[in-house]
Amino acid sequence: MTAIPFYQIDAFASQPFEGNQACVMPLDGFLPDGTLQAIAAENNVAETAFIVAKKPGHYALRWFTPAVEVPLCGHATLASAHAIYTHLGFDGEEIAFETVQSGVLKVRRLSDETYEMDFPAPKVEKIAVTEDVAAALGAWPLEAWGGPFYAAVFGTPEDIEELKPDISLLKTLGVSGIGGNWERGNFGCVAPGGADGADLTSRFFAPGSGIDEDPATGSWHCMVAAIMGPRLKRPLDCYQAYPGRGAKIGIELIGDRVKLRGDAVTVIEGKFTL
């Protein structure tokens, strides 16, 4: 039997029960894909991150939901950096994560113990709002954008908080656009303003990735930065309004890159036995 170190971390959270859950599991080498997917399904949190050390401060990284491997995951990258700094003894200036589809992602721990991630800014384009999407969301957006996901822009934070989408309908929807098909069944919703001085409030529904609603989504906030950053032209404090949890995510669009900032806290430490 093999025992794999296991850390469950609340990412984009300053205390337990906030943000989004991620499991981080350091490996000597990646296990077969079917085994990685089975472990993620067993963990049954939004993402399980598997990391393999290449050299000090440099890791290979893959992310799995309980259902699929994903090309980019912000909160599990933050959780991985937190595990490396907090539990694996790294004290360097920056961690580099080598990924399959998103290139090299860099994370550093700031002087206030929060983390800053450097991600690629996605290409986005404005698209028409359609009746099928409005019906699935249960509300008509002011704008719609395409990119890695379908983005719906609303007028107020209350619009976002009151959304009660038809998840089964959302899962079937998707449109053709930049680089081929945007991921079917993955919808972000955002509006200006929010509680405690937030610049933006959002939610993210991801039945296409096996998650009805995600509590804190870094990859979605890269798209938020690409859409809203050029309008406001400054760092933005975002609140992802998942019912019962909530997450604070700092974003800043700098050229073709996005800075994502947030906290993380470990809630479980142990071993996963195969």
Side-chain angles (χ1 to χ4, degrees):
M1 299 181 74
T2 301
I4 303 171
F6 171 97
Y7 307 97
Q8 185 166 313
I9 293 164
D10 286 346
F12 294 115
S14 59
Q15 60 186 8
F17 315 122
E18 294 179 347
N20 200 356
Q21 300 160 309
C23 295
V24 179
M25 301 180 66
L27 301 171
D28 294 330
F30 289 119
L31 302 171
D33 288 3
T35 302
L36 297 179
Q37 187 64 73
I39 292 172
E42 182 75 13
N43 290 340
N44 198 32
V45 299
E47 303 282 350
T48 295
F50 299 98
I51 57 175
V52 175
K54 299 293 187 179
K55 58 184 179 181
H58 194 109
Y59 288 77
L61 170 63
R62 295 174 70 183
W63 312 274
F64 288 76
T65 77
V68 296
E69 183 173 10
V70 296
L72 180 66
C73 179
H75 88 275
T77 303
L78 190 159
S80 297
H82 176 75
I84 292 166
Y85 274 112
T86 304
H87 302 290
L88 302 184
F90 182 71
D91 62 358
E93 180 178 344
E94 186 175 75
I95 299 170
F97 291 108
E98 177 185 320
T99 73
V100 176
Q101 296 186 48
S102 297
V104 176
L105 308 176
K106 295 182 179 180
V107 186
R108 61 192 185 102
R109 187 163 59 177
L110 304 178
S111 59
D112 62 358
E113 300 296 307
T114 62
Y115 299 92
E116 180 181 83
M117 299 183 287
D118 183 347
F119 277 26
K123 294 181 179 179
V124 298
E125 66 179 22
K126 199 170 185 180
I127 58 175
V129 178
T130 57
E131 290 187 5
D132 55 353
V133 170
L137 290 173
W140 197 278
L142 299 178
E143 301 174 9
W145 291 76
F149 315 114
Y150 188 109
V153 181
F154 289 86
T156 71
E158 290 76 21
D159 293 335
I160 300 297
E161 293 167 359
E162 293 168 6
L163 286 172
K164 295 180 180 178
D166 185 324
I167 295 298
S168 62
L169 282 179
L170 281 185
K171 188 174 182 178
T172 67
L173 297 175
V175 288
S176 179
I178 300 167
N181 289 326
W182 299 320
E183 294 184 26
R184 186 172 295 275
N186 293 275
F187 285 77
C189 302
V190 64
D196 299 325
D199 296 300
L200 301 166
T201 298
S202 79
R203 292 170 70 183
F204 189 72
F205 305 99
S209 296
I211 303 165
D212 287 353
E213 182 173 356
D214 200 40
T217 317
S219 54
W220 156 236
H221 279 84
C222 289
M223 193 171 173
V224 172
I227 296 168
M228 306 301 287
R231 305 182 190 189
L232 300 175
K233 298 180 180 179
R234 58 181 174 83
L236 301 172
D237 292 324
C238 305
Y239 179 69
Q240 190 161 336
Y242 181 89
R245 292 186 73 91
K248 294 180 179 179
I249 304 172
I251 63 174
E252 185 176 5
L253 181 66
I254 303 176
D256 62 354
R257 307 294 295 182
V258 175
K259 301 291 187 182
L260 295 171
R261 302 181 180 100
D263 297 317
V265 58
T266 304
V267 294
I268 302 173
E269 182 178 356
K271 302 285 185 181
F272 190 107
T273 303
L274 287 176

